[in-house]
Structures are given as structure tokens and as C-alpha cells.
Amino acid sequence: MQELIWWQHAVIYEIYTRSFQDSNGDGIGDLNGILKRIDYLVLLGVDAIWISPIYPSPMADFGYDVADYCGIDPIFGTIQDFDRLVAEAHRRGLKVILDFVPNHTSDQHPWFLESRSSRDNPKRDWYLWRDQPNNWLSHFGGSGWEHDDKTGQYYYHSFLKPQPDLNWRNPDVKAAMFDALRFWLEKGVDGFRVDVMWLMIKDDQFRDNPPNPGYRLGQAANNRQLPTYNSDRLEVHDLVAEMRAVVDEFPQRVLIGEIYLPVPQLMTYYGRDLTGANLPFNFQLLQCAWSAESVAQVISDYQGALPRGAWPNWVVGNHDTARIATRIGTRQARVAAMLLLTLPGTITMYYGEELSLCNVPIPPDEVQDPFEKNEPGLGLGRDPERTPMPWDGSPSGGFTTGFPWLPLGDEHEIVNVEALERDDYSILRLYRNLIQLRQTHQTLVRGQLKDVTAVNHVLRFERTGKDDRFLVVLNMATEPAQIELAAGTVLSSTHLDREGKSVGGMVDLRAAEGIVVGLDK
Ligand code: GLC
């Protein structure tokens, strides 16, 4: 059997850098903070960390507004801190993935300062300037166009006004951005998560978007129109392929794309002959209802749609979505952990999922997220899922010696790393067990996925390898369930109290209980 590349069998751990660990008392997480907790990550068993943007930034969108693609913001540390983190991570066998933000820069980026300085500036065409705006909206509310009084034209911003979109049709933009990729690749980073990959290229004629007949009140204002002309344009695939070629100049690197699209369109991001993204992020489990039926459907649809040879991946949470434990409850969060870590391909988890961390309610006067500030009260704000990692039960949770940039919430006195480490039955122990199980049995990573069924709120599927077979059975209901199984041994149970037991015939599952069974040969 062909050996897998590291990212194919990896569990990737997403770190929202501002919220993981502060090392200098300013209340904001940083690179040395990550370094301080690196052994925690090794013990958890993950293979790679993806760190949210650390580049110099005015922080209008907390780092997703980049003012220099080849530096480190002093809030997060120095380039030496970065080099040390990469070296220490690599020494422990951990890979490091950076967040790359190609769609837009900060309005403080020197390129934009030049671009807006005059109509005939050589960098004018690096951004999207027009005499008249069309009807395109910003994802964060309002028109996507901002008038520049000095030069009398409008520039386009898919997100905030201080996040002008780059013109990726301009070859100089490409060259400069590809050099930024090479800068980090030469430093030894193992790959990139590419921000809003599907938005990078817009219609060259700037045609108006049609209205969205499915729009409902309470949704983000951007949903009033269909993103026909400012997203998922055909030309984006050539660009992704070029980006991939740059990454492939270096051995064993990975290109991951953030893409929110329905499955058929998502699959096109693997590219012609798989020359696109290695992993177009699969967000299906972020959006689907938490029932055995819908999850079974999602799994079958996704796996069935994969192009030949394409490597699958799964995610249940990230820094833009309500935490899984809040969406489905803390009991089902264990079931989600078992589901996630028994599905095929690459797994990405979000910091705090291993603690069943919940969204922390943010009082209106403490809101930080510009999305919430622009469209308040709709539940669109992302602060609640970005709160500091609770390491212990002390007032600042061991996260900072200063005042945390977002509150930790009251629960952290009970739900924190220190407490869960002491508890043999905690979700943290479950995550460690499941990650270890996945690493021990490659069939869970690359085996065939078979017989996905949902009966009476119980989801089940089989993972089959050359020499072994695993059955995953997940009770997604609040009631106990009885199921019939072939004979085998429990290798993992969400309640952490059935491991090693033989099962077969009629088996009782408690409410929100899942088991992984190694089937007898
Ligand atoms: C992506 C990021 C999100 C950010 C946006 C604009 O969706 O995940 O956090 O606000 O892009 O860069």
C-alpha cells in the first residue's frame, strides 16, 4: 500500500492565536504562548497546528486585514519567536500551517496606500477601482464599494472597508503574493490554509448580482443577493492551480482552501486532475442538522461526490461558527468527537473542542467582532466562539496574567484543561483516546467507508481495511437505544467505560453514547 503523506493522516488543530495563550500579560495570545503549550498539543496527539493570521495588522478584522505578508505583528511576537516556534514544533513532530489571506489586504498595506494615492500610480490596478459601484454587497454588511474622495473612484471590499480586495487578474499581484508564500515556505512552514479561496476572482465585467429569492429576514444582509458575479468564478481554478504549483515547489506541503459552497461546486476546487487545493475544507458538518438521518446523508453525499483520488477531510468547528458543544449540547459533543475522528481523510479540530468548550455570551459593550458591530443582534458575531482557552480555574484561566481581550465565561471554573486532565472520564481523555486510536489503526484514516445508515436516531458505518474492520455506532438521541451488532471488541466508547469489552448480538447504548467496535475476523 502506498504510504500516506503526513497531511493525509493528520489531525490538524486550529489555534485562534489571540485566544490560546498569552505570554506577556497584554491579554492577547501570542507565539510564545503557543510555544508554552506545545507539549499539551503533543500529548493531545495532534499532528499539525494551523495558526490564525499573525502578520502585522491594524486588527480591524483581527489579523484578517494584513499590512505586511512577510512579517509578524508585535502583538504576537517577533520573527525570531516564529522561527523558534517552528523549530520546536518540528522537533516534536508537529507541522505548522499558516493562514494566508490573499483576497484582500489591510487599507494600511503599503500597496493600498500607493494604489489609492493617485489614479496613475503603478499599483492602482492592484486593487479593484471603478468609477461607479455595482450592487455587490459586503459580507459584513452594507455596500461592498467605498468612495475614495481624493481620487474620485470606488474600491471594492468583500469584507470591511479597511479590507480592500486585491485584483488577482493583475500578474504583478500574483507575483508579489506568490513570493510571500515562498518566504514562509523557505522558513519551513508546512502549508497554508487559504482564506476565502472561492472569492479571490470576480467577474471581469462587474455585472450586478441577481436578488436572492431565498433571503429571509434575520439573515446577514449579504444574503439578499446571489453571489453570482463576485464568487466562485471559473477563473479562480487557474489561480488555485498556480498557487498549488508554488506550494509544490517545496516537498511535502499542503494547500487547504476555505470554501463555503455546496458539495458539487466544492469538489471543483480539487482542480483538474487534482492540481487544485489538496484539501478544499469540507464544512458540511458545520451546517447540517444534528440527526442521524441528516449526518448519514451528508457523509454519503460528500464521499460519493469526491473526484477520483481526491482526499477527503472533515471539520466540526472553526473560528467563524458557533462551537459544536453549543450547537448540539455537551453530551452530543462527545458523539461528534467520535464521529469526526472515525471519518475518512484529514481531520481539523478547533481549539477547545477537546474541552467541549461552549460559546461564551458577550455583553454588548464588550463586543470586539466587527461583524457583530456592523450587524448587531442577529447572532452573527464570532466573539462567543473565540474566547480564551481555559487552562485552569483561576480568574483568567491561566490564559493571561493580565486582562483577557475576551471574557472566559463562568463555566471555565469547571471546564478547564487542568480539571479535565484530572478526570479519567472527561471529553479531553476521550479526544486523546480517539486520536490515538486513529493513529494506531490506519483503516480509520484510509479504509473504505461502508454501509452508512441511520435507524432510530442511531448512525452507523463501517471502516474496512485489508486486514481489519471497524464499526462505528453513534446514538444521536436523548433516549437509550438497542442495536444489533456483529461480534467484536469495544475499542473506544464516548463514556470511556466499555473499552476492551466484547460485544455482539443485541447491544444497549445509553443516550448520547457512541462506540467504536473492532470486528472479529
Ligand atoms: C474568513 C475568515 C474570517 C474573516 C474573513 C475575512 O472567512 O475565516 O474570520 O473574517 O475571512 O478575511
Side-chain angles (χ1 to χ4, degrees):
M1 224 185 317
Q2 209 188 336
E3 216 181 296
L4 297 179
I5 311 169
W6 69 267
W7 55 262
Q8 294 183 305
H9 59 78
V11 175
I12 302 171
Y13 186 93
E14 179 192 353
I15 293 179
Y16 193 69
T17 312
R18 293 179 74 86
S19 297
F20 196 58
Q21 176 69 58
D22 176 22
S23 74
N24 62 358
D26 66 358
I28 298 172
D30 47 41
L31 292 171
N32 284 335
I34 299 176
L35 183 59
K36 177 173 167 198
R37 298 297 185 180
I38 207 160
D39 290 326
Y40 167 81
L41 298 168
V42 171
L43 188 62
L44 182 60
V46 298
D47 305 275
I49 52 175
W50 146 31
I51 50 184
S52 66
I54 48 174
Y55 317 103
S57 163
M59 303 290 164
D61 189 18
F62 297 111
Y64 287 96
D65 47 323
V66 178
D68 171 6
Y69 286 95
C70 298
I72 302 287
D73 195 284
I75 285 188
F76 299 124
T78 63
I79 199 85
Q80 289 79 22
D81 296 334
F82 178 79
D83 289 338
R84 192 164 55 238
L85 176 62
V86 172
E88 289 297 318
H90 284 170
R91 201 163 66 77
R92 290 165 174 83
L94 269 183
K95 307 283 186 183
V96 179
I97 297 169
L98 283 191
D99 209 315
F100 191 63
V101 189
N103 179 69
H104 44 270
T105 69
S106 159
D107 65 349
Q108 298 307 308
H109 195 296
W111 299 341
F112 189 69
L113 295 178
E114 274 192 55
S115 182
R116 80 183 312 174
S117 66
S118 74
R119 285 200 190 198
D120 54 12
N121 184 279
K123 291 214 167 53
R124 185 66 168 182
D125 184 52
W126 281 40
Y127 293 83
L128 301 168
W129 291 99
R130 305 269 297 164
D131 289 334
Q132 289 301 322
N134 63 12
N135 76 348
W136 297 352
L137 297 171
S138 151
H139 285 251
F140 286 160
S143 165
W145 295 92
E146 179 66 5
H147 189 255
D148 178 58
D149 292 339
K150 186 170 169 219
T151 56
Q153 281 189 311
Y154 294 80
Y155 69 84
Y156 180 63
H157 55 90
S158 297
F159 293 90
L160 299 172
K161 287 176 194 165
Q163 291 173 296
D165 281 35
L166 282 165
N167 176 15
W168 275 91
R169 294 177 190 274
N170 183 321
D172 296 337
V173 168
K174 274 196 213 171
M177 290 295 272
F178 292 165
D179 278 348
L181 287 176
R182 291 188 187 98
F183 172 82
W184 295 106
L185 290 163
E186 273 156 18
K187 281 198 163 296
V189 312
D190 300 286
F192 299 96
R193 171 268 188 190
V194 177
D195 195 62
V196 298
M197 186 179 261
W198 84 113
L199 303 183
M200 287 191 297
I201 294 254
K202 286 91 190 166
D203 180 40
D204 54 356
Q205 298 166 53
F206 293 90
R207 282 169 281 189
D208 275 345
N209 278 332
N212 174 9
Y215 172 76
R216 287 182 321 267
L217 221 64
Q219 289 182 339
N222 181 46
N223 284 359
R224 287 177 190 273
Q225 54 185 222
L226 296 172
T228 312
Y229 292 110
N230 56 353
S231 80
D232 193 30
R233 303 298 300 166
L234 209 53
E235 302 96 309
V236 77
H237 296 294
D238 296 330
L239 176 54
V240 174
E242 283 181 74
M243 224 177 231
R244 165 72 181 278
V246 172
V247 170
D248 280 354
E249 289 168 14
F250 299 76
Q252 301 262 318
R253 311 297 161 104
V254 65
L255 187 69
I256 308 173
E258 183 203 22
I259 299 151
Y260 285 92
L261 285 174
V263 168
Q265 286 104 296
L266 176 69
M267 294 304 173
T268 62
Y269 284 76
Y270 282 104
R272 208 176 302 119
D273 302 324
L274 305 181
T275 54
N278 296 114
L279 300 172
F281 257 143
N282 166 14
F283 293 140
Q284 302 308 305
L285 291 174
L286 296 183
Q287 290 144 344
C288 84
W290 195 253
S291 73
E293 290 72 18
S294 30
V295 173
Q297 193 67 51
V298 156
I299 297 174
S300 305
D301 289 351
Y302 175 81
Q303 291 291 138
L306 281 168
R308 203 182 162 75
W311 195 254
N313 77 94
W314 294 91
V315 173
V316 297
N318 63 30
H319 65 285
D320 295 322
T321 316
R323 284 192 174 274
I324 179 81
T326 294
R327 292 194 332 258
I328 66 174
T330 48
R331 299 182 75 193
Q332 284 293 329
R334 286 173 172 257
V335 176
M338 185 165 280
L339 171 68
L340 183 67
L341 290 159
T342 52
L343 285 170
T346 306
I347 302 305
T348 305
M349 58 181 288
Y350 183 50
Y351 86 98
E353 276 170 7
E354 72 277 28
L355 312 178
S356 62
L357 210 62
C358 288
N359 276 17
V360 174
I362 308 294
D365 59 339
E366 288 178 46
V367 166
Q368 303 278 348
D369 184 13
F371 197 7
E372 177 68 27
K373 288 183 181 170
N374 284 0
E375 298 197 61
L378 299 177
L380 301 171
R382 301 162 299 174
D383 294 331
E385 62 260 21
R386 296 175 174 181
T387 58
M389 181 79 165
W391 296 99
D392 60 41
S394 66
S396 300
F399 164 70
T400 179
T401 54
F403 188 76
W405 78 288
L406 280 175
L408 280 100
D410 303 331
E411 258 192 20
H412 94 269
E413 287 162 23
I414 310 158
V415 180
N416 60 66
V417 171
E418 201 180 82
L420 300 197
E421 262 174 351
R422 262 186 272 121
D423 174 359
D424 289 345
Y425 299 96
S426 69
I427 187 162
L428 177 57
R429 294 298 187 97
L430 175 64
Y431 262 92
R432 285 184 188 161
N433 288 2
L434 285 167
I435 293 172
Q436 203 190 15
L437 188 74
R438 187 174 183 84
Q439 279 158 351
T440 316
H441 303 285
Q442 268 216 354
T443 294
L444 291 174
V445 176
R446 71 188 312 178
Q448 243 190 306
L449 174 76
K450 281 183 29 189
D451 302 336
V452 184
T453 62
V455 179
N456 294 333
H457 308 295
V458 176
L459 171 69
R460 62 194 279 171
F461 53 86
E462 229 182 90
R463 303 301 312 281
T464 311
K466 212 160 74 55
D467 310 307
D468 48 8
R469 277 166 67 212
F470 300 89
L471 185 64
V472 180
V473 193
L474 305 169
N475 182 5
M476 298 177 70
T478 46
E479 304 294 323
Q482 257 208 342
I483 40 147
E484 198 171 351
L485 300 184
T489 307
V490 176
L491 299 178
S492 176
S493 78
T494 48
H495 292 47
L496 292 170
D497 56 2
R498 285 175 99 154
E499 282 73 9
K501 304 240 163 74
S502 299
V503 286
M506 288 311 275
V507 174
D508 289 313
L509 284 182
R510 287 162 284 182
E513 181 174 23
I515 51 176
V516 183
V517 178
L519 294 174
D520 292 345
K521 297 212 169 114

CSV table of all heavy atoms in Angstrom, one decimal, residues 215-243:
chain,number,residue,atom,x,y,z
A,215,TYR,N,-33.9,34.7,0.4
A,215,TYR,CA,-33.5,35.5,1.5
A,215,TYR,C,-34.6,35.6,2.6
A,215,TYR,O,-35.7,35.8,2.3
A,215,TYR,CB,-33.1,36.9,1.1
A,215,TYR,CG,-32.8,37.9,2.2
A,215,TYR,CD1,-31.6,37.8,3.0
A,215,TYR,CD2,-33.8,38.8,2.6
A,215,TYR,CE1,-31.4,38.6,4.0
A,215,TYR,CE2,-33.6,39.7,3.7
A,215,TYR,CZ,-32.4,39.6,4.4
A,215,TYR,OH,-32.2,40.4,5.5
A,216,ARG,N,-34.2,35.5,3.8
A,216,ARG,CA,-35.2,35.6,5.0
A,216,ARG,C,-34.7,36.6,5.9
A,216,ARG,O,-33.4,36.8,6.2
A,216,ARG,CB,-35.4,34.3,5.7
A,216,ARG,CG,-36.2,33.3,4.9
A,216,ARG,CD,-36.4,32.0,5.7
A,216,ARG,NE,-35.2,31.7,6.5
A,216,ARG,CZ,-34.2,30.8,6.1
A,216,ARG,NH1,-34.2,30.3,5.2
A,216,ARG,NH2,-33.1,30.6,6.8
A,217,LEU,N,-35.6,37.4,6.5
A,217,LEU,CA,-35.2,38.4,7.5
A,217,LEU,C,-34.5,37.8,8.6
A,217,LEU,O,-34.8,36.7,9.0
A,217,LEU,CB,-36.5,39.0,8.0
A,217,LEU,CG,-36.5,40.6,8.2
A,217,LEU,CD1,-36.3,41.2,6.9
A,217,LEU,CD2,-37.7,41.1,8.9
A,218,GLY,N,-33.5,38.4,9.1
A,218,GLY,CA,-32.7,37.9,10.2
A,218,GLY,C,-31.4,37.3,9.7
A,218,GLY,O,-30.4,37.1,10.5
A,219,GLN,N,-31.3,37.0,8.4
A,219,GLN,CA,-30.0,36.6,7.8
A,219,GLN,C,-29.1,37.8,7.6
A,219,GLN,O,-29.6,38.9,7.6
A,219,GLN,CB,-30.3,35.9,6.5
A,219,GLN,CG,-31.0,34.6,6.5
A,219,GLN,CD,-31.1,33.9,5.2
A,219,GLN,OE1,-31.1,34.6,4.2
A,219,GLN,NE2,-31.3,32.6,5.2
A,220,ALA,N,-27.8,37.5,7.4
A,220,ALA,CA,-26.9,38.6,7.1
A,220,ALA,C,-27.4,39.3,5.8
A,220,ALA,O,-27.9,38.6,4.9
A,220,ALA,CB,-25.5,38.0,6.9
A,221,ALA,N,-27.2,40.6,5.8
A,221,ALA,CA,-27.7,41.4,4.7
A,221,ALA,C,-27.1,41.0,3.4
A,221,ALA,O,-27.8,41.1,2.3
A,221,ALA,CB,-27.4,42.9,4.9
A,222,ASN,N,-25.9,40.5,3.4
A,222,ASN,CA,-25.3,40.0,2.2
A,222,ASN,C,-26.1,38.9,1.5
A,222,ASN,O,-26.0,38.7,0.2
A,222,ASN,CB,-23.9,39.4,2.6
A,222,ASN,CG,-23.1,38.9,1.4
A,222,ASN,OD1,-23.0,39.6,0.4
A,222,ASN,ND2,-22.5,37.8,1.6
A,223,ASN,N,-26.9,38.2,2.2
A,223,ASN,CA,-27.7,37.1,1.6
A,223,ASN,C,-28.9,37.6,0.8
A,223,ASN,O,-29.6,36.8,0.2
A,223,ASN,CB,-28.3,36.2,2.7
A,223,ASN,CG,-27.3,35.3,3.3
A,223,ASN,OD1,-26.1,35.3,2.8
A,223,ASN,ND2,-27.6,34.5,4.2
A,224,ARG,N,-29.1,38.9,0.7
A,224,ARG,CA,-30.2,39.5,-0.1
A,224,ARG,C,-29.9,39.2,-1.6
A,224,ARG,O,-30.8,39.3,-2.4
A,224,ARG,CB,-30.3,41.0,0.1
A,224,ARG,CG,-30.9,41.4,1.5
A,224,ARG,CD,-30.9,42.9,1.6
A,224,ARG,NE,-31.2,43.3,3.0
A,224,ARG,CZ,-32.4,43.4,3.4
A,224,ARG,NH1,-33.4,43.3,2.6
A,224,ARG,NH2,-32.7,43.7,4.7
A,225,GLN,N,-28.7,39.0,-1.9
A,225,GLN,CA,-28.4,38.7,-3.3
A,225,GLN,C,-27.6,37.4,-3.5
A,225,GLN,O,-27.0,36.9,-2.6
A,225,GLN,CB,-27.6,39.8,-4.0
A,225,GLN,CG,-26.4,40.2,-3.3
A,225,GLN,CD,-25.7,41.4,-3.9
A,225,GLN,OE1,-24.5,41.5,-4.0
A,225,GLN,NE2,-26.4,42.5,-4.2
A,226,LEU,N,-27.8,36.8,-4.7
A,226,LEU,CA,-27.0,35.6,-5.0
A,226,LEU,C,-25.6,36.1,-5.4
A,226,LEU,O,-25.5,37.0,-6.2
A,226,LEU,CB,-27.7,34.8,-6.1
A,226,LEU,CG,-29.1,34.3,-5.8
A,226,LEU,CD1,-29.7,33.7,-7.1
A,226,LEU,CD2,-29.0,33.2,-4.7
A,227,PRO,N,-24.6,35.4,-5.0
A,227,PRO,CA,-23.2,35.9,-5.2
A,227,PRO,C,-22.7,35.4,-6.6
A,227,PRO,O,-21.5,35.1,-6.8
A,227,PRO,CB,-22.4,35.2,-4.1
A,227,PRO,CG,-23.1,34.0,-3.8
A,227,PRO,CD,-24.6,34.2,-4.1
A,228,THR,N,-23.6,35.5,-7.6
A,228,THR,CA,-23.3,35.0,-8.9
A,228,THR,C,-22.0,35.6,-9.5
A,228,THR,O,-21.2,34.8,-10.1
A,228,THR,CB,-24.4,35.3,-9.9
A,228,THR,OG1,-25.6,35.0,-9.3
A,228,THR,CG2,-24.3,34.6,-11.2
A,229,TYR,N,-21.8,36.9,-9.4
A,229,TYR,CA,-20.7,37.5,-10.1
A,229,TYR,C,-19.5,37.9,-9.2
A,229,TYR,O,-18.5,38.4,-9.7
A,229,TYR,CB,-21.2,38.8,-10.9
A,229,TYR,CG,-22.1,38.3,-12.0
A,229,TYR,CD1,-23.5,38.6,-11.9
A,229,TYR,CD2,-21.6,37.6,-13.1
A,229,TYR,CE1,-24.3,38.2,-12.9
A,229,TYR,CE2,-22.5,37.2,-14.1
A,229,TYR,CZ,-23.8,37.5,-14.0
A,229,TYR,OH,-24.7,37.1,-15.0
A,230,ASN,N,-19.6,37.7,-7.9
A,230,ASN,CA,-18.4,38.0,-7.1
A,230,ASN,C,-17.9,36.8,-6.3
A,230,ASN,O,-17.2,37.0,-5.3
A,230,ASN,CB,-18.7,39.2,-6.2
A,230,ASN,CG,-19.9,39.1,-5.3
A,230,ASN,OD1,-20.6,38.1,-5.4
A,230,ASN,ND2,-20.1,40.0,-4.4
A,231,SER,N,-18.3,35.6,-6.7
A,231,SER,CA,-17.7,34.5,-6.0
A,231,SER,C,-17.7,33.3,-6.9
A,231,SER,O,-18.5,33.3,-7.9
A,231,SER,CB,-18.5,34.1,-4.8
A,231,SER,OG,-19.7,33.4,-5.1
A,232,ASP,N,-16.8,32.3,-6.6
A,232,ASP,CA,-16.8,31.0,-7.4
A,232,ASP,C,-16.8,31.2,-8.9
A,232,ASP,O,-17.5,30.5,-9.6
A,232,ASP,CB,-18.0,30.2,-6.9
A,232,ASP,CG,-17.9,28.7,-7.4
A,232,ASP,OD1,-16.7,28.2,-7.5
A,232,ASP,OD2,-18.9,28.1,-7.6
A,233,ARG,N,-16.0,32.2,-9.4
A,233,ARG,CA,-15.9,32.4,-10.8
A,233,ARG,C,-14.9,31.3,-11.4
A,233,ARG,O,-14.0,30.9,-10.7
A,233,ARG,CB,-15.3,33.8,-11.1
A,233,ARG,CG,-16.1,34.9,-10.6
A,233,ARG,CD,-17.5,35.0,-11.1
A,233,ARG,NE,-17.6,35.2,-12.5
A,233,ARG,CZ,-18.7,35.0,-13.3
A,233,ARG,NH1,-19.8,34.6,-12.6
A,233,ARG,NH2,-18.7,35.2,-14.6
A,234,LEU,N,-15.2,30.9,-12.6
A,234,LEU,CA,-14.5,29.9,-13.3
A,234,LEU,C,-12.9,30.1,-13.2
A,234,LEU,O,-12.2,29.2,-13.0
A,234,LEU,CB,-14.9,29.8,-14.7
A,234,LEU,CG,-14.8,28.4,-15.4
A,234,LEU,CD1,-15.5,27.3,-14.5
A,234,LEU,CD2,-15.4,28.4,-16.7
A,235,GLU,N,-12.5,31.3,-13.4
A,235,GLU,CA,-11.1,31.6,-13.5
A,235,GLU,C,-10.4,31.4,-12.2
A,235,GLU,O,-9.1,31.3,-12.2
A,235,GLU,CB,-10.9,33.1,-13.9
A,235,GLU,CG,-11.5,33.5,-15.2
A,235,GLU,CD,-12.8,34.2,-15.0
A,235,GLU,OE1,-13.7,33.6,-14.3
A,235,GLU,OE2,-13.0,35.3,-15.5
A,236,VAL,N,-11.1,31.3,-11.1
A,236,VAL,CA,-10.4,31.1,-9.8
A,236,VAL,C,-9.6,29.8,-9.8
A,236,VAL,O,-8.6,29.6,-9.1
A,236,VAL,CB,-11.5,31.1,-8.6
A,236,VAL,CG1,-12.2,29.8,-8.5
A,236,VAL,CG2,-10.7,31.4,-7.3
A,237,HIS,N,-10.1,28.8,-10.6
A,237,HIS,CA,-9.4,27.5,-10.6
A,237,HIS,C,-8.0,27.6,-11.2
A,237,HIS,O,-7.1,26.9,-10.7
A,237,HIS,CB,-10.3,26.4,-11.3
A,237,HIS,CG,-11.6,26.2,-10.6
A,237,HIS,ND1,-11.6,25.7,-9.3
A,237,HIS,CD2,-12.8,26.6,-10.9
A,237,HIS,CE1,-12.9,25.7,-8.9
A,237,HIS,NE2,-13.6,26.2,-9.9
A,238,ASP,N,-7.8,28.4,-12.2
A,238,ASP,CA,-6.4,28.6,-12.7
A,238,ASP,C,-5.5,29.2,-11.6
A,238,ASP,O,-4.4,28.8,-11.5
A,238,ASP,CB,-6.4,29.5,-13.9
A,238,ASP,CG,-7.2,28.9,-15.1
A,238,ASP,OD1,-7.3,27.6,-15.1
A,238,ASP,OD2,-7.8,29.7,-15.9
A,239,LEU,N,-6.1,30.1,-10.9
A,239,LEU,CA,-5.3,30.8,-9.9
A,239,LEU,C,-5.0,29.8,-8.7
A,239,LEU,O,-3.8,29.7,-8.3
A,239,LEU,CB,-6.2,31.9,-9.3
A,239,LEU,CG,-5.6,32.7,-8.2
A,239,LEU,CD1,-4.2,33.2,-8.5
A,239,LEU,CD2,-6.5,33.9,-7.8
A,240,VAL,N,-6.0,29.0,-8.3
A,240,VAL,CA,-5.7,28.0,-7.3
A,240,VAL,C,-4.6,27.0,-7.7
A,240,VAL,O,-3.7,26.7,-7.0
A,240,VAL,CB,-7.0,27.2,-6.9
A,240,VAL,CG1,-6.7,26.1,-5.9
A,240,VAL,CG2,-8.0,28.2,-6.3
A,241,ALA,N,-4.7,26.6,-9.0
A,241,ALA,CA,-3.7,25.7,-9.5
A,241,ALA,C,-2.3,26.3,-9.5
A,241,ALA,O,-1.3,25.7,-9.2
A,241,ALA,CB,-4.0,25.3,-11.0
A,242,GLU,N,-2.2,27.6,-9.8
A,242,GLU,CA,-0.9,28.3,-9.8
A,242,GLU,C,-0.4,28.4,-8.3
A,242,GLU,O,0.8,28.2,-8.1
A,242,GLU,CB,-1.1,29.7,-10.3
A,242,GLU,CG,-1.1,29.8,-11.8
A,242,GLU,CD,-1.2,31.3,-12.3
A,242,GLU,OE1,-0.2,32.0,-12.2
A,242,GLU,OE2,-2.3,31.7,-12.7
A,243,MET,N,-1.3,28.6,-7.4
A,243,MET,CA,-0.9,28.7,-6.0
A,243,MET,C,-0.4,27.3,-5.6
A,243,MET,O,0.6,27.2,-4.9
A,243,MET,CB,-2.2,29.0,-5.2
A,243,MET,CG,-2.0,30.0,-4.1
A,243,MET,SD,-3.5,30.4,-3.3
A,243,MET,CE,-3.5,32.1,-3.4
